[in-house]
Amino acid sequence: MKLLLIHADYMEYEVKKRTRVAEDFDKKSERIEEVLVVFTSVEKGDDEGVVERAVEAIKEVAEKVNTSKVLIYPYAHLSSNLADAETAVKLLKEIESKLSDLEVHRAPFGWYKAFKISCKGHPLSELSREIGGEEEIEVTKALKDEEKVVSYWYILTPEKQLIEIDKFDFTGYEKLQKFANYEIAKRRAVDRIPPHVEFMRRLEIADYEEASDSGHLKYYPKGRLIKSLLETFVTEKCIEYGAMEVETPIMYDRAHPTLRRYLERFPARQYILKGDKREFFLRFAACFGQFLMSANSTITYRNLPLRMYELTRYSFRKEQRGELVGLRRLRAFTMPDMHTIVKDMEEAKQEFFNQYRLSVDVLREIGLEPDDYEVAIRVTRDFYEENKDFVHSLVDILKKPILVEMWDQRFFYFVLKFEFNFVDALDKASALSTVQIDVENAERYGITYVDSDGSKKYPLILHCSASGAIERVMYTLLEKAQFMIDKGKLPMLPVWLSPTQVRIIPVSERFLEHAKKIAEKLEAERIRVDVDDRDETLAKKIRDASTEWIPYIAVVGGREVERGKLTVTVRSESTLKEQKKVEISVEELIKRIHEECNGKPFKPLCLPKLLSLRPGFR
RNA sequence: GCCGCCGUGGCUUAGCUGGCAGAGCGGGUGACUUGUAAUCACCAGGUCGCGGGUUCAAAUCCCGCCGGCGGCUCCA
């Protein structure tokens, strides 16, 4: 049911013409002064409970605006999901009768009517209310609870002590302290342009696209390559873990009964699109598609745990304007999203533990070590008390202190979640990997499994993003490069993600053919190699290769041809002051790179092999 | 969304007490044929974010909008 409440100096209406469903009405017109006009749409599914709450809402407003006169005015245009006329009249009459302690008027249903209204225009004079079924009321209540909810903060030590945050000695855990400060006080000290924004543009990885909405980036060839490698890697890891890859739509019906209830908790965060008849919202995760798929599937206890995976390109979230920054927070982003259906809490805990380890492993292979991030656990007090040993056991995986946030009541869909958070050069924290135990959505979506005794049961569902958003992983790698600079090292990406892994620089034009031959050898070994054939000085070419963060720079001239070796500048072992140069054979270089990229996906060079043929993208 | 700062060739920027829009990098052409972080010369390239206003005259002053950055708020 939808209500539009107007506090008016007067309202007058005149009946013009009957429709098929018109109620009997003996007057021609009516005028009421100092009245609260309640424009009302009765919607499909509305019942006595809804009437009850609508009456409460009307009484509440009438009291606030200090009026004793109410006009119930049937108004179909507030909803696109109207109830049938018979039900509507019945419920409107019920509202009328239940407001009997006020002076109630009711305009007749089913007539074309003309009306004049004089809205008072004070702050409370125009209000709308949406009254739904029982579940929605709970949701609204949950939202209110959320505002009131109190977080209790602790540190879980490697010795499995849960210590109140003020009593924990952060000596040696400065990053954790920064993370905790960020979470609790939400305060940062430094103001500086984030390093990764400059890097992503200067290295021709990604850039803003002003012709799109804010928070939608364009990726140049190098950025697309890096992103694609990360996407492939995480996807492979999840499939290897046991997930079935699926693909689901990126937009959904706003009015779909299941989705609507979920959505109403988080209004105005979605992109809304108008279709021919229906309105759609863009997904912010793969939950919708996968849950709807699961709800339609026949699942038995033999199929559990059942894992589904999708890489969302894209997920959409209409984040607030002021929150968007570079690759860190976007409105269109790519999420590896895996859901695991499990039969009970024991199985959920087992999966949670394993997926925690999976996340550590995925980040480590990407190039992010446990030292690079901080762990947070968020848990309801009930779950913690009942599963203390289990929660404590999580600390064994990384053996470092964990920030714990505890709530007295559950107001999200999960009872337990962990996150790995990266703290950047500006002391901002952002979540990477996360796993949650969802105790609510199986029922909401009608996902069931058949147990061994033949009965249908609601499972639990785990949400897992093993790496977090791919763009955010890129942000993290670039911010980590800034930390390298701060430590006096040269910034670089992991070799398997470097767009060019080896650059061959001929000392002069005479050695260009030789350089190309070496490049072919490396290329045949699935190494991304390019050749600087430009008419520039050697020093200039070295400089350019260095500013591109190329891990291996191989110079070829007379000496190399003679000895059959390469003189290679190894970036990871060099500093700005001193370059580490090694003389190695092509085979040795191949072996070294293969070892560094072992187990990682490979994609060929994303730009012309000869530098003279490359465009500049900015 | 709110508050503050910023927006000048592809990039980085000078000019901002109103008076001809300048440079470096990058690009093109030519010379040089190079041994480890910028070789030299010449040439092309600008609706000064967009729209309005003040003025004889606006990149410069005023208003609105768009975009970016920082803070606040938010983050299923």
Side-chain angles (χ1 to χ4, degrees):
Chain A
M1 182 172 294
K2 295 221 169 65
L3 306 178
L4 174 64
L5 301 102
I6 307 272
H7 188 205
D9 296 317
Y10 70 88
M11 162 85 168
E12 84 185 39
Y13 66 88
E14 188 186 340
V15 295
K16 292 282 190 187
K17 196 179 165 213
R18 305 179 68 100
T19 67
R20 277 187 304 115
V21 293
E23 279 183 89
D24 289 338
F25 188 62
D26 42 15
K27 281 183 277 188
K28 186 133 196 354
S29 64
E30 193 173 15
R31 179 183 166 105
I32 308 154
E33 313 276 340
E34 292 299 318
V35 62
L36 180 67
V37 182
V38 183
F39 293 99
T40 309
S41 282
V42 181
E43 296 179 290
K44 279 204 181 77
D46 287 350
D47 54 18
E48 275 71 19
V50 173
V51 167
E52 202 72 50
R53 289 188 289 278
V55 167
E56 284 311 307
I58 294 166
K59 280 185 181 167
E60 188 192 319
V61 175
E63 192 178 326
K64 272 192 191 149
V65 301
N66 198 21
T67 180
S68 57
K69 284 187 258 180
V70 173
L71 169 64
I72 308 296
Y73 195 96
Y75 198 66
H77 313 290
L78 296 173
S79 172
S80 54
N81 187 31
L82 292 171
D84 60 273
E86 201 181 322
T87 312
V89 174
K90 187 180 132 213
L91 297 186
L92 288 168
K93 282 182 177 164
E94 268 179 45
I95 292 175
E96 185 181 12
S97 69
K98 287 191 171 157
L99 283 170
S100 51
D101 41 344
L102 298 165
E103 179 188 330
V104 198
H105 303 254
R106 187 170 64 81
F109 186 91
W111 292 76
Y112 291 108
K113 299 181 284 288
F115 69 79
K116 276 189 196 160
I117 187 166
S118 168
C119 177
K120 283 184 174 290
H122 61 75
L124 288 174
S125 63
E126 297 169 69
L127 293 168
S128 68
R129 288 284 187 276
E130 186 167 346
I131 317 283
E134 204 57 55
E135 277 174 278
E136 277 161 306
I137 285 299
E138 266 175 29
V139 164
T140 313
K141 187 171 162 292
L143 252 190
K144 280 184 188 156
D145 289 347
E146 186 180 336
E147 283 162 19
K148 279 185 280 180
V149 86
V150 184
S151 293
Y152 299 88
W153 298 94
Y154 306 90
I155 298 292
L156 181 62
T157 69
E159 296 75 34
K160 306 190 179 179
Q161 298 288 310
L162 193 71
I163 298 176
E164 283 172 44
I165 191 108
D166 335 336
K167 297 190 179 134
F168 182 76
D169 177 9
F170 281 99
T171 312
Y173 301 107
E174 284 69 23
K175 274 271 188 71
L176 180 65
Q177 182 160 36
K178 282 179 178 177
F179 173 49
N181 284 346
Y182 181 78
E183 286 295 311
I184 299 162
K186 309 266 184 190
R187 204 161 269 286
R188 273 135 271 148
V190 204
D191 41 331
R192 195 166 111 199
I193 291 167
H196 85 275
V197 174
E198 207 193 311
F199 291 150
M200 79 178 194
R201 306 179 76 195
R202 192 167 61 66
L203 296 172
E204 295 190 334
I205 288 172
D207 213 333
Y208 298 112
E209 176 52 76
E210 292 199 14
S212 184
D213 190 16
S214 310
H216 295 241
L217 300 187
K218 57 186 167 196
Y219 298 85
Y220 300 115
K222 289 178 190 173
R224 179 59 212 144
L225 175 80
I226 295 167
K227 189 158 176 277
S228 174
L229 285 166
L230 288 166
E231 289 168 357
T232 306
F233 175 72
V234 179
T235 300
E236 282 174 1
K237 292 296 281 188
C238 289
I239 291 171
E240 192 182 295
Y241 181 77
M244 302 176 278
E245 189 175 5
V246 297
E247 183 170 326
T248 59
I250 64 166
M251 55 192 262
Y252 294 90
D253 188 348
R254 262 185 107 185
H256 186 284
T258 308
L259 305 180
R260 207 184 72 209
R261 265 174 281 148
Y262 194 33
L263 238 41
E264 274 165 4
R265 274 179 73 162
F266 312 102
R269 288 212 159 263
Q270 282 78 240
Y271 280 102
I272 306 295
L273 297 179
K274 287 209 192 327
D276 288 342
K277 282 187 175 170
R278 299 186 284 178
E279 278 195 343
F280 300 95
F281 68 93
L282 295 178
R283 68 174 177 195
F284 49 77
C287 307
F288 305 101
Q290 292 185 19
F291 288 175
L292 292 167
M293 191 182 279
S294 303
N296 271 340
S297 304
T298 307
I299 301 168
T300 80
Y301 70 100
R302 292 179 206 275
N303 311 134
L304 304 182
L306 187 153
R307 307 183 189 92
M308 269 187 206
Y309 169 85
E310 179 170 4
L311 182 80
T312 66
R313 206 165 109 201
Y314 289 104
S315 283
F316 298 91
R317 277 168 73 158
K318 213 158 109 197
E319 301 288 9
Q320 298 186 80
R321 284 277 287 103
E323 276 304 308
L324 304 167
V325 216
L327 286 160
R328 177 174 179 257
R329 169 149 296 180
L330 295 163
R331 283 181 170 175
F333 56 96
T334 311
M335 277 269 293
D337 203 358
M338 177 168 76
H339 294 96
T340 307
I341 299 178
V342 296
K343 64 173 179 287
D344 54 25
M345 195 49 89
E346 276 316 302
E347 203 167 88
K349 288 188 317 200
Q350 188 59 48
E351 276 293 314
F352 188 91
F353 194 83
N354 291 342
Q355 291 179 13
Y356 192 117
R357 289 205 296 202
L358 171 72
S359 301
V360 171
D361 184 39
V362 165
L363 291 189
R364 180 177 279 137
E365 288 204 56
I366 283 172
L368 299 168
E369 300 297 326
D371 277 353
D372 292 324
Y373 52 84
E374 300 305 326
V375 185
I377 289 176
R378 309 191 199 251
V379 62
T380 61
R381 193 168 296 281
D382 287 351
F383 183 90
Y384 175 77
E385 293 299 339
E386 284 161 32
N387 302 278
K388 232 177 221 180
D389 288 346
F390 171 70
V391 175
H392 288 181
S393 74
L394 296 172
V395 87
D396 292 334
I397 297 172
L398 289 176
K399 300 191 170 48
K400 58 191 253 174
I402 291 174
L403 177 68
V404 177
E405 180 175 15
M406 210 179 285
W407 302 297
D408 284 339
Q409 62 206 118
R410 178 173 70 82
F411 57 92
F412 289 132
Y413 56 74
F414 57 84
V415 289
L416 173 68
K417 93 176 209 179
F418 80 78
E419 290 155 20
F420 296 156
N421 286 268
F422 177 76
V423 181
D424 72 14
L426 274 54
D427 294 349
K428 290 199 182 195
S430 2
L432 293 164
S433 318
T434 179
V435 177
Q436 297 144 18
I437 300 178
D438 177 347
V439 296
E440 195 175 288
N441 279 306
E443 201 169 333
R444 174 175 289 142
Y445 281 80
I447 300 168
T448 57
Y449 71 97
V450 181
D451 209 348
S452 52
D453 60 6
S455 65
K456 274 197 177 182
K457 288 182 179 159
Y458 290 119
L460 297 170
I461 302 174
L462 285 91
H463 302 237
C464 168
S465 187
S467 65
I470 302 294
E471 294 81 357
R472 192 167 276 184
V473 171
M474 293 168 74
Y475 143 82
T476 306
L477 290 168
L478 292 175
E479 288 287 330
K480 194 182 168 180
Q482 178 60 44
F483 286 141
M484 292 180 182
I485 296 173
D486 295 345
K487 284 183 203 146
K489 292 168 70 181
L490 293 177
M492 65 184 291
L493 293 171
V495 174
W496 73 282
L497 289 170
S498 296
T500 295
Q501 294 170 316
V502 182
R503 170 153 305 162
I504 316 274
I505 303 181
V507 161
S508 77
E509 212 182 304
R510 286 186 292 137
F511 299 101
L512 181 56
E513 281 314 308
H514 185 67
K516 285 183 185 170
K517 274 193 201 122
I518 292 166
E520 276 167 28
K521 274 195 199 171
L522 291 162
E523 210 177 0
E525 293 293 335
R526 292 163 75 79
I527 286 168
R528 286 185 294 274
V529 56
D530 54 26
V531 177
D532 195 342
D533 63 330
R534 296 173 307 165
D535 182 14
E536 296 288 352
T537 59
L538 178 62
K540 173 72 171 292
K541 294 182 192 178
I542 294 287
R543 188 190 146 82
D544 286 349
S546 302
T547 52
E548 279 186 56
W549 298 6
I550 293 173
Y552 298 102
I553 304 171
V555 173
V556 290
R559 224 157 52 209
E560 285 73 19
V561 173
E562 206 174 288
R563 296 186 210 173
K565 297 237 177 183
L566 295 171
T567 307
V568 177
T569 304
V570 181
R571 186 173 181 85
S572 61
E573 295 169 27
S574 302
T575 63
L576 202 51
K577 285 195 186 108
E578 202 178 351
Q579 295 178 45
K580 165 85 177 199
K581 282 175 274 185
V582 294
E583 196 178 78
I584 55 171
S585 67
V586 177
E587 288 68 30
E588 285 170 311
L589 181 60
I590 291 169
K591 187 164 170 261
R592 180 173 174 147
I593 294 172
H594 280 176
E595 275 165 16
E596 283 174 321
C597 302
N598 185 32
K600 305 300 194 309
F602 171 80
K603 286 182 189 271
L605 199 66
C606 55
L607 289 163
K609 188 163 51 168
L610 299 179
L611 261 65
S612 65
L613 302 179
R614 283 184 192 179
F617 288 95
R618 43 174 279 122

